[in-house]
Amino acid sequence: MPQIRKILIANRGEIALRIIRACRDMGIRSVAVYSTADRESMHVKLADESVCIGPAPSKESYLNEAAVLTAALLTNADAIHPGYGFLSERAGFVEKVERHKLIWIGPTAAMISQMGDKVAAKKTAIECGLPVVPGSDDAVDTLEDALSWAEKIGYPVMLKAAAGGGGKGIRPVLNAEEMPEAFQMTKAEARAGFGDDALYIEKLLSHPRHIEFQVLGDQHGNAVIFGERDCSLQRKNQKVMEECPASALTQKQRDDMIEICKTAVKKMGYTNAGTLEFMFEDGKFYFLEMNTRLQVEHPATEMVYGVDLVREQIRIAMGEPLGYSQANLVANGHAIEFRINAEDPETFVPNPGTITLYSPPGGLGVRVDSAAYTGWKIPPTYDSLIAKLIVWAPNRPSCLLRSQRALEEFSIEGVKTTIPLQQKLLAQKDVKQLNIDNHWLENFLTDETK
């Protein structure tokens, strides 16, 4: 069984810091990589070692596969943890890591490739017994194919990039008249964004919720499902708030889906951490995609289940068995994660700059995952996420109250943040009463600007 004594973290910001802390808890040394723009970042300061891998642009640093691999080899790292984003779902990079006799902390290259292609992922989901949205069997190559499938499925439909992700490369089509322009635009967007213009088509659900199930699988055929998260509050397909568990589900719906997901994960032979994402409408689930990596919102699950998911990733990568069964996993209380971005809370324009005051909240049930500090200069080059506020309480009403308190305590000065938006959302009756779906936030923001 391979031992990991040193991990290179191929990421930055709060997720890099999160992984460093897990390494420290396990007695494992950590290596940070950084761009010239991140020289003063917290993950660089707290890692045992650090290596500059290039200039600010991601493609010349964090996406530079050769630079990351070289840093791992020069520092004698045993393994690479990719976090999320950047290189985390590049199957080709995983193969290079393994060719250099390094351990990849994540699922196999074959699984990343299989589930990264939306058409292949849907086929896999069907084979593994997961419920799916009605849609095309394969990629739609021509406008005629798209029109034919849309007529068969019934409008409205959604065009999606087969290689897409992060809410990019998708477009709703309400009728046949809209299809020609939508087809060409989505194809061009997919080609520009992912280097692959393959599209597929599926039924557009009118008022779905976004509910996802956290999974873990080891190298011995064992799998567990850590309940579910409700991620329905989204803007432009980007999650804003996430809750665990999803209070909209009945216990039977939850238990049934946990069993279905567990069976699917075992049939896939999936290893390490991942997330099965579904649309949920009128009491039915429809497979959306599988994220073959750690999720941004994983702390909400950790707070409810009391399990360090990054530690579990590392244990699985070393070949250790899970050591617990589904029956051992008991949900305790309710958690909500709030994404705090350096953005104007009304226009959502990124607002990089120097943080002149950073004072996070505290108290029972309050966790903040962030690499920010007073005096830190937020670079304009990367994602605007600067902190994740995660609040736990024995039940949802108590969690909402504690969340209000924590947001009021959270002080960040020098840059604009989305804290005011999060406070506004908690004050809404629909949010308090769970009268929300994937479109609720967009509609709310549109009404606010009228």
Side-chain angles (χ1 to χ4, degrees), residues 5 53 78 86 101 143-144 155 200 220 225 228-229 239 287 298 300 348 384 432 440:
R5 298 179 179 85
I53 54 171
D78 304 303
F86 292 132
K101 308 302 181 185
L143 174 60
E144 288 70 26
Y155 289 97
Y200 68 106
H220 307 277
I225 311 299
E228 79 289 342
R229 298 181 290 252
K239 299 165 186 174
F287 175 76
H298 76 274
F348 300 99
S384 61
K432 292 178 181 178
W440 185 91

Short mmCIF file of all heavy atoms in Angstrom, two decimals, residues 5 53 78 86 101 143-144 155 200 220 225 228-229 239 287 298 300 348 384 432 440:
data_model
loop_
_atom_site.label_atom_id
_atom_site.label_comp_id
_atom_site.label_asym_id
_atom_site.label_seq_id
_atom_site.Cartn_x
_atom_site.Cartn_y
_atom_site.Cartn_z
N ARG A 5 3.78 10.94 1.88
CA ARG A 5 4.45 11.76 2.90
C ARG A 5 4.49 13.24 2.52
O ARG A 5 4.69 14.08 3.38
CB ARG A 5 5.88 11.25 3.12
CG ARG A 5 5.93 9.81 3.65
CD ARG A 5 7.36 9.33 3.83
NE ARG A 5 7.38 7.97 4.36
CZ ARG A 5 7.29 6.86 3.62
NH1 ARG A 5 7.16 6.98 2.29
NH2 ARG A 5 7.32 5.67 4.17
N ILE A 53 5.49 28.82 -10.27
CA ILE A 53 5.39 28.05 -11.51
C ILE A 53 5.08 28.90 -12.74
O ILE A 53 4.80 28.37 -13.81
CB ILE A 53 4.33 26.93 -11.39
CG1 ILE A 53 2.97 27.49 -10.93
CG2 ILE A 53 4.81 25.83 -10.46
CD1 ILE A 53 1.84 26.48 -11.00
N ASP A 78 5.11 12.98 -3.29
CA ASP A 78 4.61 11.63 -3.60
C ASP A 78 3.32 11.68 -4.39
O ASP A 78 2.97 10.72 -5.09
CB ASP A 78 4.33 10.86 -2.30
CG ASP A 78 5.53 10.78 -1.39
OD1 ASP A 78 6.57 10.28 -1.84
OD2 ASP A 78 5.42 11.25 -0.24
N PHE A 86 -9.09 24.39 -12.51
CA PHE A 86 -7.77 24.23 -13.10
C PHE A 86 -7.58 22.83 -13.70
O PHE A 86 -8.26 22.47 -14.64
CB PHE A 86 -6.68 24.56 -12.08
CG PHE A 86 -6.64 26.03 -11.71
CD1 PHE A 86 -6.58 26.43 -10.38
CD2 PHE A 86 -6.67 27.02 -12.68
CE1 PHE A 86 -6.55 27.77 -10.03
CE2 PHE A 86 -6.64 28.37 -12.34
CZ PHE A 86 -6.58 28.73 -11.01
N LYS A 101 5.08 8.31 -11.97
CA LYS A 101 5.07 7.55 -10.72
C LYS A 101 4.60 8.38 -9.52
O LYS A 101 5.02 8.16 -8.39
CB LYS A 101 6.47 6.96 -10.42
CG LYS A 101 7.09 6.18 -11.57
CD LYS A 101 6.21 5.02 -11.99
CE LYS A 101 6.86 4.23 -13.14
NZ LYS A 101 5.97 3.16 -13.67
N LEU A 143 -28.14 20.96 -37.64
CA LEU A 143 -29.37 21.66 -37.26
C LEU A 143 -30.59 20.76 -37.47
O LEU A 143 -31.51 20.77 -36.67
CB LEU A 143 -29.50 22.95 -38.08
CG LEU A 143 -30.81 23.73 -37.91
CD1 LEU A 143 -31.00 24.15 -36.46
CD2 LEU A 143 -30.83 24.95 -38.84
N GLU A 144 -30.57 19.97 -38.55
CA GLU A 144 -31.69 19.07 -38.83
C GLU A 144 -31.84 18.05 -37.70
O GLU A 144 -32.97 17.74 -37.29
CB GLU A 144 -31.45 18.36 -40.18
CG GLU A 144 -31.61 19.26 -41.40
CD GLU A 144 -30.50 20.29 -41.54
OE1 GLU A 144 -29.37 20.01 -41.03
OE2 GLU A 144 -30.74 21.36 -42.12
N TYR A 155 -40.81 20.87 -27.08
CA TYR A 155 -40.28 22.14 -26.57
C TYR A 155 -40.93 22.48 -25.23
O TYR A 155 -42.06 22.05 -24.97
CB TYR A 155 -40.55 23.26 -27.59
CG TYR A 155 -39.72 23.17 -28.85
CD1 TYR A 155 -40.26 22.58 -30.00
CD2 TYR A 155 -38.43 23.66 -28.90
CE1 TYR A 155 -39.50 22.49 -31.18
CE2 TYR A 155 -37.67 23.57 -30.06
CZ TYR A 155 -38.22 22.99 -31.19
OH TYR A 155 -37.47 22.91 -32.34
N TYR A 200 -25.43 18.30 -27.33
CA TYR A 200 -26.54 17.37 -27.17
C TYR A 200 -27.76 18.17 -26.73
O TYR A 200 -27.67 19.36 -26.42
CB TYR A 200 -26.21 16.23 -26.20
CG TYR A 200 -26.06 16.63 -24.76
CD1 TYR A 200 -27.03 16.33 -23.81
CD2 TYR A 200 -24.90 17.26 -24.31
CE1 TYR A 200 -26.89 16.68 -22.49
CE2 TYR A 200 -24.75 17.61 -22.98
CZ TYR A 200 -25.74 17.31 -22.07
OH TYR A 200 -25.59 17.66 -20.75
N HIS A 220 -11.46 -0.78 -3.16
CA HIS A 220 -11.83 -2.14 -2.79
C HIS A 220 -13.30 -2.44 -3.11
O HIS A 220 -13.85 -3.43 -2.63
CB HIS A 220 -11.55 -2.37 -1.31
CG HIS A 220 -10.16 -2.02 -0.91
ND1 HIS A 220 -9.09 -2.89 -1.07
CD2 HIS A 220 -9.63 -0.87 -0.39
CE1 HIS A 220 -7.98 -2.30 -0.66
NE2 HIS A 220 -8.28 -1.08 -0.25
N ILE A 225 -22.66 7.21 0.24
CA ILE A 225 -23.26 8.47 -0.20
C ILE A 225 -23.50 9.34 1.03
O ILE A 225 -24.19 8.93 1.96
CB ILE A 225 -24.61 8.23 -0.92
CG1 ILE A 225 -24.48 7.13 -1.99
CG2 ILE A 225 -25.12 9.53 -1.53
CD1 ILE A 225 -23.50 7.42 -3.10
N GLU A 228 -27.31 14.61 0.69
CA GLU A 228 -27.50 15.50 -0.46
C GLU A 228 -27.40 16.97 -0.06
O GLU A 228 -27.51 17.33 1.10
CB GLU A 228 -28.87 15.23 -1.11
CG GLU A 228 -30.06 15.86 -0.42
CD GLU A 228 -30.42 15.23 0.90
OE1 GLU A 228 -29.99 14.10 1.19
OE2 GLU A 228 -31.13 15.89 1.68
N ARG A 229 -27.15 17.79 -1.09
CA ARG A 229 -27.12 19.25 -0.93
C ARG A 229 -28.10 19.87 -1.91
O ARG A 229 -28.22 19.43 -3.05
CB ARG A 229 -25.71 19.78 -1.21
CG ARG A 229 -24.63 19.27 -0.27
CD ARG A 229 -23.27 19.86 -0.59
NE ARG A 229 -22.71 19.36 -1.81
CZ ARG A 229 -21.68 18.51 -1.90
NH1 ARG A 229 -21.12 18.02 -0.80
NH2 ARG A 229 -21.22 18.13 -3.08
N LYS A 239 -23.56 28.57 -8.52
CA LYS A 239 -24.19 28.43 -7.21
C LYS A 239 -23.84 29.60 -6.29
O LYS A 239 -22.71 30.07 -6.29
CB LYS A 239 -23.75 27.11 -6.58
CG LYS A 239 -24.17 25.89 -7.40
CD LYS A 239 -23.43 24.64 -6.98
CE LYS A 239 -23.74 23.48 -7.90
NZ LYS A 239 -22.92 22.28 -7.61
N PHE A 287 -30.86 12.87 -13.77
CA PHE A 287 -29.40 13.02 -13.76
C PHE A 287 -28.97 14.20 -14.62
O PHE A 287 -29.41 14.35 -15.76
CB PHE A 287 -28.74 11.74 -14.26
CG PHE A 287 -27.24 11.83 -14.41
CD1 PHE A 287 -26.42 11.78 -13.29
CD2 PHE A 287 -26.66 11.98 -15.66
CE1 PHE A 287 -25.04 11.86 -13.42
CE2 PHE A 287 -25.29 12.06 -15.81
CZ PHE A 287 -24.47 12.01 -14.68
N HIS A 298 -18.27 21.32 -0.55
CA HIS A 298 -18.09 20.13 0.29
C HIS A 298 -18.12 20.42 1.80
O HIS A 298 -18.51 19.55 2.58
CB HIS A 298 -16.77 19.42 -0.08
CG HIS A 298 -15.54 20.09 0.44
ND1 HIS A 298 -14.90 21.10 -0.23
CD2 HIS A 298 -14.83 19.90 1.58
CE1 HIS A 298 -13.85 21.50 0.46
NE2 HIS A 298 -13.79 20.78 1.57
N ALA A 300 -20.22 22.05 3.58
CA ALA A 300 -21.58 21.92 4.14
C ALA A 300 -21.84 20.47 4.52
O ALA A 300 -22.43 20.18 5.58
CB ALA A 300 -22.61 22.41 3.12
N PHE A 348 -22.65 42.61 -10.01
CA PHE A 348 -21.82 41.41 -10.06
C PHE A 348 -20.55 41.58 -10.87
O PHE A 348 -19.92 40.61 -11.29
CB PHE A 348 -22.63 40.21 -10.58
CG PHE A 348 -23.82 39.91 -9.72
CD1 PHE A 348 -25.09 40.36 -10.09
CD2 PHE A 348 -23.69 39.24 -8.53
CE1 PHE A 348 -26.20 40.12 -9.29
CE2 PHE A 348 -24.79 38.99 -7.72
CZ PHE A 348 -26.04 39.43 -8.10
N SER A 384 -13.46 35.17 -8.56
CA SER A 384 -13.69 36.22 -7.55
C SER A 384 -14.03 35.68 -6.16
O SER A 384 -14.24 36.46 -5.24
CB SER A 384 -14.81 37.15 -8.02
OG SER A 384 -16.01 36.43 -8.19
N LYS A 432 -36.89 31.52 3.10
CA LYS A 432 -37.19 30.97 4.42
C LYS A 432 -38.13 29.77 4.32
O LYS A 432 -37.98 28.79 5.05
CB LYS A 432 -37.81 32.05 5.30
CG LYS A 432 -36.87 33.17 5.69
CD LYS A 432 -37.60 34.22 6.53
CE LYS A 432 -36.68 35.36 6.91
NZ LYS A 432 -37.39 36.41 7.70
N TRP A 440 -35.32 30.90 -9.45
CA TRP A 440 -35.82 31.88 -8.49
C TRP A 440 -34.88 33.08 -8.35
O TRP A 440 -35.33 34.23 -8.38
CB TRP A 440 -36.03 31.24 -7.12
CG TRP A 440 -36.66 32.18 -6.13
CD1 TRP A 440 -37.99 32.35 -5.89
CD2 TRP A 440 -35.98 33.12 -5.28
NE1 TRP A 440 -38.18 33.33 -4.94
CE2 TRP A 440 -36.96 33.82 -4.55
CE3 TRP A 440 -34.64 33.43 -5.07
CZ2 TRP A 440 -36.64 34.81 -3.62
CZ3 TRP A 440 -34.31 34.43 -4.16
CH2 TRP A 440 -35.30 35.10 -3.45
#
